[in-house]
């Protein structure tokens, strides 16, 4: 019998993401390439969704997983701890922003955000401020799809139909200079203006009623890679401190080296109280997320009830932690952050060269190997495409045809209008891959926007 080379999902028993699509079947990985059962090779320029930072077959990570499986695949953390989990926590704390002292392992990004929200709330209960109940976050941010994470997320389209189920949260503006900075404002003035919205919101809600401000240091999936304006996060940190509000940074997408530093907030010069990571932590070799907590928060639980009322069956999974530990070792031993900076600069330069004056590319932005290109119908007016055209979907389709995986998305501006392409290739790419990304992207954009 001939092997199937693609699956029409209407005939599949899997509840796929889309109920009407045809998907190639993945066969194996080859460095930064994904190969399907037809033998077609796709350069993975988005690491899936900013996950596969070591490409798809790094021998050290695979070996670490195998070795752990030979010892013991899984053991429940209510009964035992494990060497890979303990070592991974040590490594993460040793490289984390100042003040981070403990690591809570989970299985992905949304779980890490849920954990952060609950831990932040319990912290205030423990220290005798149970009246604090509000979370403030930003419009156009994405923090995950579980109900708590979705509630703090600011993407209207993703929230809309679940709105009646979401906990009350409050949103301030994104730091989105391409769209919102006024001509008369410097970058710094713009950053401070939008950061000050946090203070206004805290005052409006009641200064002692806010638990935390939640933000992605570089907004990823829903806003197309938005780094903050200079001074923005420093001002945010000051405001949080003034009102005793916790700063939760969501580095699920932008963290773990993606922007050229292990934690994206290093480049902002601020330290959070809680920070979430996931995606690149184990490079996709196993599913993992983590919440790093400051000593102050941990101590409050330790000296109070002694128990964080949370937990998941697969937290601290030994095989998963072994994969993450090996991933972090590879990043350090192979100096991959240097490559992120070097190839990130080369990629940015090549994209600017190719698309800097393109009539439908309004903005190219990002840090390290985390780059977004915002698409526009008109470069001069910045008018977006008609959302019904679903330009992002056409680009994704054409990119796949050209042998390129990238991550285009719609709703960049307000959840409905706007389109962008997110590029987040593995940290192991070289100049030839940079060239291939730009060439294939050009083919895809030309075919999709006629
Ligand atoms: C910033 C951010 N937070 C949280 C999440 C949710 O992570 P997961 O899809 O692993 O649940 C994502 C996923 O894209 C993300 O980008």
């Amino acid at each position: 019998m001939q092997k199937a080379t693609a699956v029409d999902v209407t005939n599949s028993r899997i509840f796929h993401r889309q109920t009407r699509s045809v998907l190639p079947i993945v066969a194996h990985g080859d460095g930064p390439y994904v190969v399907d059962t037809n033998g077609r090779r796709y350069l993975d320029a988005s690491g899936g969704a900013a996950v596969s930072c070591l490409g798809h077959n790094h021998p050290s990570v695979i070996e670490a997983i195998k070795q752990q499986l030979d010892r013991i695949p899984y053991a429940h953390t209510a009964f035992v701890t494990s060497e890979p989990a303990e070592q991974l926590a040590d490594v993460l704390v040793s490289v984390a922003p100042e003040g981070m002292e403990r690591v809570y392992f989970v299985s992905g990004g949304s779980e890490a955000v849920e954990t952060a929200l609950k831990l932040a709330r319990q912290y205030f209960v423990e220290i005798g401020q149970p009246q604090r109940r509000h979370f403030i976050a930003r419009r156009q941010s994405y923090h995950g799809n579980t109900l708590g994470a979705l509630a703090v997320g600011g993407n209207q389209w993703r929230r809309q139909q679940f709105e009646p189920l979401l906990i009350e949260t409050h949103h301030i503006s994104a730091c989105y200079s391409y769209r919102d900075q006024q001509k008369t404002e410097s970058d710094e003035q713009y950053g401070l203006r939008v950061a000050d919205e946090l203070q206004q919101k805290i005052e409006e809600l009641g200064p002692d009623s806010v638990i935390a401000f939640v933000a992605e240091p570089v907004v990823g999936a829903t806003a197309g890679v938005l780094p903050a304006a200079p001074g923005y996060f420093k001002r945010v940190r000051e405001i949080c401190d003034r009102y005793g509000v916790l700063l939760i940074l969501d580095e699920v997408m932008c963290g773990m080296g993606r922007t050229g530093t292990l934690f994206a907030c290093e480049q902002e010069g601020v330290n959070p109280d809680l920070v979430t990571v996931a995606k690149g932590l184990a490079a996709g070799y196993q599913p993992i997320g983590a919440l790093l907590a400051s000593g102050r928060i941990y101590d409050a639980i330790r000296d109070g009830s002694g128990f964080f009322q949370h937990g998941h069956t697969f937290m601290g999974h030994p095989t998963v932690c072994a994969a993450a530990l090996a991933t972090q070792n590879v990043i350090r031993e192979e100096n991959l952050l240097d490559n992120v900076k070097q190839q990130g600069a080369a990629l940015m330069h090549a994209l600017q060269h190719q698309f800097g004056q393109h009539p439908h590319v309004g903005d190219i932005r990002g840090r390290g190997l985390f780059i977004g290109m915002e698409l526009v119908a008109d470069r001069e007016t910045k008018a977006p495409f008609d959302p019904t055209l679903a330009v992002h979907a056409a680009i994704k389709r054409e990119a796949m045809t050209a042998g390129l995986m990238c991550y285009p998305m719609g709703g960049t501006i307000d959840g409905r209008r706007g389109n962008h392409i997110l590029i987040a290739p593995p940290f192991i790419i070289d100049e030839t891959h940079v060239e291939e990304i730009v060439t294939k992207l050009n083919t895809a954009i030309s075919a999709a926007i006629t």
Side-chain angles (χ1 to χ4, degrees):
M1 205 176 73
Q2 231 191 343
K3 257 173 71 186
T5 52
V7 166
D8 178 343
V9 303
T10 54
N11 301 321
S12 166
R13 288 290 178 196
I14 296 177
F15 198 139
H16 282 280
R17 285 170 179 259
Q18 308 271 355
T19 57
R20 283 185 290 270
S21 65
V22 176
L23 293 171
I25 304 168
V26 67
H28 64 271
D30 178 14
Y33 292 89
V34 171
V35 186
D36 73 15
T37 48
N38 228 359
R40 275 186 61 82
R41 290 166 69 80
Y42 306 86
L43 177 55
D44 187 357
S46 58
V51 172
S52 304
C53 57
L54 299 185
H56 296 281
N57 58 344
H58 199 292
S60 309
V61 186
I62 293 170
E63 185 51 33
I65 294 170
K66 286 180 176 167
Q67 283 187 16
Q68 185 57 41
L69 289 176
D70 284 340
R71 287 189 207 109
I72 183 166
Y74 168 73
H76 198 290
T77 48
F79 301 90
V80 290
T81 187
S82 71
E83 283 172 358
E86 294 291 342
Q87 285 169 18
L88 179 60
D90 286 345
V91 167
L92 288 176
V93 167
S94 73
V95 295
E98 200 184 307
M100 297 295 106
E101 287 186 9
R102 306 283 168 162
V103 187
Y104 195 95
F105 290 118
V106 290
S107 300
S110 301
E111 270 187 21
V113 172
E114 294 288 333
T115 308
L117 302 179
K118 284 184 68 184
L119 182 54
R121 165 67 191 167
Q122 187 172 331
Y123 165 74
F124 282 115
V125 173
E126 300 271 358
I127 65 166
Q129 298 185 31
Q131 80 287 354
R132 288 192 187 256
R133 62 187 191 89
H134 292 302
F135 286 101
I136 303 173
R138 297 190 292 179
R139 288 189 278 281
Q140 280 316 99
S141 281
Y142 179 61
H143 297 296
N145 264 332
T146 50
L147 290 174
L150 190 63
V152 283
N155 182 279
Q156 275 317 324
W157 175 72
R158 293 187 193 219
R159 290 168 55 93
Q160 208 167 22
Q161 65 175 317
F162 303 104
E163 203 85 46
L165 309 183
L166 303 180
I167 54 167
E168 184 188 337
T169 53
H170 305 270
H171 293 93
I172 60 171
S173 296
C175 192
Y176 190 179
S177 51
Y178 173 64
R179 293 269 165 203
D180 297 336
Q181 185 172 348
Q182 287 163 15
K183 285 207 173 66
T184 52
E185 282 176 321
S186 68
D187 291 352
E188 287 80 3
Q189 284 167 336
Y190 169 65
L192 296 183
R193 171 166 66 83
V194 274
D196 283 344
E197 284 188 27
L198 176 60
Q199 173 155 336
Q200 290 151 21
K201 185 57 81 180
I202 293 172
E203 288 285 352
E204 181 189 314
L205 293 169
D208 65 348
S209 73
V210 178
I211 295 175
F213 176 59
V214 187
E216 296 167 82
V218 181
V219 186
T222 47
V225 190
L226 279 184
Y232 174 87
F233 273 104
K234 280 220 163 98
R235 175 63 69 93
V236 159
R237 181 73 265 186
E238 279 164 28
I239 295 169
C240 286
D241 289 344
R242 196 174 310 141
Y243 292 95
V245 168
L246 298 179
L247 177 60
I248 301 176
L249 293 182
D250 180 355
E251 297 216 2
V252 164
M253 193 176 250
C254 63
M256 293 291 96
R258 178 60 49 206
T259 63
T261 47
L262 268 183
F263 289 82
C265 63
E266 289 171 42
Q267 295 176 51
E268 306 299 337
V270 297
N271 298 317
D273 299 292
L274 294 162
V275 57
T276 56
V277 291
K279 296 195 186 272
L281 176 54
Y285 287 79
Q286 294 287 307
I288 185 170
L291 172 69
L292 281 78
S294 70
R296 173 165 68 111
I297 293 177
Y298 179 82
D299 293 351
I301 310 288
R302 183 198 58 198
D303 302 340
S305 67
F307 170 62
F308 175 30
Q309 199 170 336
H310 194 58
H312 293 286
T313 302
F314 292 125
M315 60 188 287
H317 192 296
T319 308
V320 170
C321 289
L325 185 60
T327 298
Q328 295 312 309
N329 288 341
V330 168
I331 289 174
R332 194 181 57 252
E333 285 158 14
E334 297 185 9
N335 287 325
L336 288 179
L337 293 187
D338 286 349
N339 204 50
V340 171
K341 287 182 200 127
Q342 199 183 322
Q343 299 306 332
L347 180 57
M348 181 57 99
H349 184 265
L351 290 168
Q352 292 283 7
H353 183 72
Q354 182 69 47
F355 300 110
Q357 299 305 316
H358 192 286
H360 297 303
V361 177
D363 193 26
I364 307 176
R365 55 197 181 224
R367 285 191 186 154
L369 283 173
F370 197 34
I371 298 179
M373 297 210 311
E374 184 162 338
L375 305 171
V376 285
D378 183 325
R379 237 181 104 80
E380 292 310 309
T381 63
K382 301 185 183 176
F385 283 102
D386 177 348
T388 60
L389 294 176
V391 168
H392 56 286
I395 289 176
K396 185 173 175 199
R397 208 169 42 241
E398 295 296 343
M400 287 293 277
T401 304
L404 182 77
M405 288 174 167
C406 58
Y407 192 3
M409 188 67 77
T412 316
I413 301 172
D414 56 10
R416 200 180 76 83
R417 294 176 310 135
N419 304 87
H420 66 260
I421 304 171
L422 189 147
I423 306 165
F427 302 172
I428 56 167
I429 60 164
D430 60 27
E431 294 77 13
T432 60
H433 302 119
V434 166
E435 212 180 298
E436 191 177 333
I437 292 171
V438 176
T439 306
K440 289 183 168 174
L441 205 51
N442 192 32
T443 306
I445 292 175
S446 304
I449 308 175
T450 45

